[in-house]
Each structure stands twice: as structure tokens, then as C-alpha cells.
């Protein structure tokens, strides 16, 4: 089974333009993410798939591998699909370019889903982390997921799901960590589908899978790093690095 990591990266960002080239302790966010993926030793290959020469040069000039997309894309999945279409690969791991602290354990657990799926029933998998603070449960920037008894996704939403009507019930809330793993064939099929109604409403691309009847196998993780979504996250990232040291 050939497994590769693809890291989508684009300069545009509504909340933080150019964030992937922003430096933390002298290294850009996208290079931190690329090096972290390579250092896990889990992948047959690692690429950054970007929208122009700025990110491409940042990676290649430091000895990494990068691909410039041929056109604009609606999502990172679309960008990756273009890059892997003619590659000999079985499983593709989509590591978000703004998540430089994703750990080996989380990625290894995600890969294990496919290595243990001898019947090839699982098409897409992703990560989730239990959250406890009400401020994060209510935060629309935190995508929440609810799952069935077999950890298959039932719904993703920016709203606090599940809604706990009975306060005596100890309901759990999970944040969706946007690291995806797909079999190549379903990724290519995904890009042929139009955006679906729930996806358009929530602006959550994995809802497109659910609306086509394909659940995501959700893998619990204790990942507690920092994703660089806004300028204020840079200070949190520096604090996180200092805490590790």
C-alpha cells in the first residue's frame, strides 16, 4: 500500500492572507508543516501543492518537494486531486498547511484505519478531538462532529452539536481536526461532484461526502497543537513551542 502526504497551500486567506509564509522562530508555517510530515517517517512521499511560485519556492529552495496547481480550486481536496490524478498511490493524507504541530501518533492512527481495512469498506477518514470548554463548543470557527457507535460521522456543523437538552446527560463534544485520509479513487470522484446544499450553508467541505451517503471514519486524537487561522494564533504557537521546550 503506497501512502503519501499532500499539503495544500494557497496565499489567499480571508482571515490571514499570506499566513503560510509567516515565520515562527525563523521558519515559515508551511515549511514547519512540511518538515513535520516528513519527520514522521510514515509516508512514501510528501508534497506541498500550492497556487503559485511564492510557496513553491519556499519549499523547493529548502530541499522539499512542491507542485504548482494548474488552476484555481474551491478546496484543498480539489487541489490535491489534480496533483495525484496520474500518481501511483493508494491512500492520500491531506495535511492542512496551517497545522504545523500535527503529531506522528495522530497520523499513524489515521493510516492504520486503511491498513486494517482488509475489506476496503472505508473510503475516507479524519481526526476528532474531545473538547470541554463551552467557549470552544460555541465557537463557529471550531467545526464539531457527531458520530455513530462505530465512530462513523453523522454530521459536521459549526453549531454546538449535539444540543444537550437534558443537562443531566453527560454528552461529549468533538472538534473536527481537518486532516483527511482518502483512497485515491474516492478523492477523484469527490472532485466531480457539485457543492452540496449543507456544504454550501456551513462551508464545510466534508459534508459533501455525507450528502452523497459516504461517512467518514473518525479517529480520536489528543492532538492539542495550534492551527494558524488568524494573526493572534502566532502568539499561541510561540507559547506552544516554548511549552514543548
Amino acid at each position: 500500500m503506497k501512502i503519501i502526504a499532500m499539503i495544500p497551500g494557497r496565499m489567499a486567506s480571508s482571515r490571514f492572507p499570506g499566513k503560510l509564509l509567516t515565520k515562527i522562530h525563523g521558519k515559515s508555517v508551511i515549511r514547519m508543516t512540511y518538515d513535520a510530515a516528513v519527520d514522521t517517517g510514515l509516508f512514501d512521499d510528501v508534497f506541498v501543492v500550492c497556487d503559485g511560485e511564492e510557496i513553491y519556492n519556499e519549499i523547493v529552495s529548502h530541499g522539499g518537494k512542491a507542485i504548482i496547481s494548474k488552476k484555481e480550486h474551491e478546496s484543498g481536496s480539489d487541489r490535491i486531486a489534480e496533483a495525484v490524478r496520474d500518481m501511483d498511490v493508494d491512500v492520500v493524507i491531506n495535511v492542512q498547511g496551517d497545522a504545523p504541530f500535527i503529531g506522528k501518533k495522530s497520523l499513524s492512527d489515521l493510516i492504520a484505519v486503511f491498513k486494517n481495512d482488509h475489506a476496503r469498506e472505508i473510503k475516507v477518514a479524519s481526526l476528532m478531538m474531545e473538547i470541554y470548554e463551552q467557549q470552544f463548543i460555541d465557537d463557529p470557527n471550531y467545526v464539531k462532529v457527531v458520530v455513530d457507535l462505530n465512530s462513523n460521522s453523522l454530521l459536521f456543523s459549526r453549531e454546538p452539536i449535539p444540543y444537550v437538552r437534558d443537562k443531566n446527560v453527560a454528552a461529549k463534544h468533538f472538534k473536527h481536526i481537518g486532516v483527511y485520509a482518502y483512497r485515491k479513487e474516492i478523492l477523484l470522484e469527490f472532485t466531480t461532484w457539485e457543492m452540496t446544499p449543507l456544504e454550501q450553508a456551513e462551508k464545510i467541505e466534508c459534508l459533501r461526502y455525507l450528502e452523497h451517503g459516504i461517512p467518514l471514519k473518525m479517529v480520536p486524537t489528543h492532538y492539542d497543537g495550534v492551527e494558524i487561522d488568524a494573526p493572534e494564533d502566532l502568539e499561541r504557537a510561540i507559547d506552544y513551542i516554548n511549552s514543548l521546550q
Side-chain angles (χ1 to χ4, degrees), residues 3 5 33 36-43 46 93-96 99 101-115 127 177-181 219-221 223:
I3 302 170
T33 305
V38 171
D39 290 346
T40 66
L42 295 171
F43 305 106
V46 180
I93 310 297
N94 175 348
V95 178
Q96 300 298 319
F101 304 111
I102 190 68
K104 181 174 181 177
K105 176 65 164 59
S106 298
L107 295 173
S108 179
D109 289 346
L110 198 55
I111 290 170
V113 166
F114 295 93
K115 289 187 173 181
L127 297 171
I177 306 295
V179 179
Y180 298 97
V219 179
T221 180
Y223 166 74

Side-chain angles (χ1 to χ4, degrees), residues 24-25 101 226 232-245:
I24 300 174
H25 284 196
F101 304 111
V226 178
E232 54 266 27
D233 293 328
L234 294 176
E235 285 299 322
R236 294 176 56 230
I238 292 171
D239 290 342
Y240 180 73
I241 292 173
N242 292 338
S243 73
L244 296 177
Q245 296 173 342

Side-chain angles (χ1 to χ4, degrees), residues 29-196:
V29 170
I30 190 65
R31 269 187 61 213
M32 290 176 66
T33 305
Y34 179 86
D35 289 348
V38 171
D39 290 346
T40 66
L42 295 171
F43 305 106
D44 293 294
D45 227 332
V46 180
F47 297 89
V48 169
V49 189
C50 53
D51 62 351
E53 293 184 358
E54 291 171 283
I55 294 175
Y56 176 87
N57 291 336
E58 170 69 4
I59 296 300
V60 173
S61 66
H62 291 92
K65 296 182 179 181
I67 300 168
I68 298 179
S69 298
K70 296 177 183 177
K71 56 184 178 181
E72 290 296 320
H73 291 293
E74 291 291 335
S75 70
S77 295
D78 294 314
R79 194 177 301 281
I80 290 172
E82 178 191 300
V84 304
R85 185 172 301 278
D86 297 321
M87 288 186 180
D88 178 20
V89 60
D90 300 296
V91 173
V92 180
I93 310 297
N94 175 348
V95 178
Q96 300 298 319
D98 58 3
F101 304 111
I102 190 68
K104 181 174 181 177
K105 176 65 164 59
S106 298
L107 295 173
S108 179
D109 289 346
L110 198 55
I111 290 170
V113 166
F114 295 93
K115 289 187 173 181
N116 297 329
D117 179 29
H118 303 296
R120 293 177 59 88
E121 294 177 344
I122 298 170
K123 297 180 180 181
V124 191
S126 194
L127 297 171
M128 65 180 185
M129 180 183 73
E130 190 170 359
I131 50 177
Y132 306 93
E133 297 88 348
Q134 193 63 44
Q135 69 180 91
F136 298 133
I137 294 171
D138 293 335
D139 190 337
N141 293 312
Y142 279 60
V143 174
K144 274 71 68 175
V145 58
V146 288
V147 297
D148 66 16
L149 297 178
N150 294 310
S151 292
N152 295 306
S153 62
L154 293 170
L155 182 64
F156 297 87
S157 180
R158 298 183 184 278
E159 287 292 310
I161 53 173
Y163 171 75
V164 185
R165 184 175 181 179
D166 184 346
K167 302 305 179 184
N168 294 316
V169 174
K172 292 184 177 183
H173 292 86
F174 292 95
K175 174 189 176 184
H176 177 216
I177 306 295
V179 179
Y180 298 97
Y182 347 71
R183 296 193 188 276
K184 176 184 174 180
E185 55 270 23
I186 192 61
L187 173 59
L188 296 182
E189 188 174 355
F190 172 89
T191 63
T192 68
W193 300 332
E194 297 292 332
M195 289 183 67
T196 47

Side-chain angles (χ1 to χ4, degrees), residues 10-23 29 51 54-55 228-231 234:
R10 62 190 184 96
M11 288 297 293
S13 170
S14 58
R15 299 181 65 198
F16 193 179
K19 65 180 178 180
L20 296 185
L21 294 184
T22 301
K23 287 183 168 53
V29 170
D51 62 351
E54 291 171 283
I55 294 175
I228 313 299
D229 293 319
L234 294 176

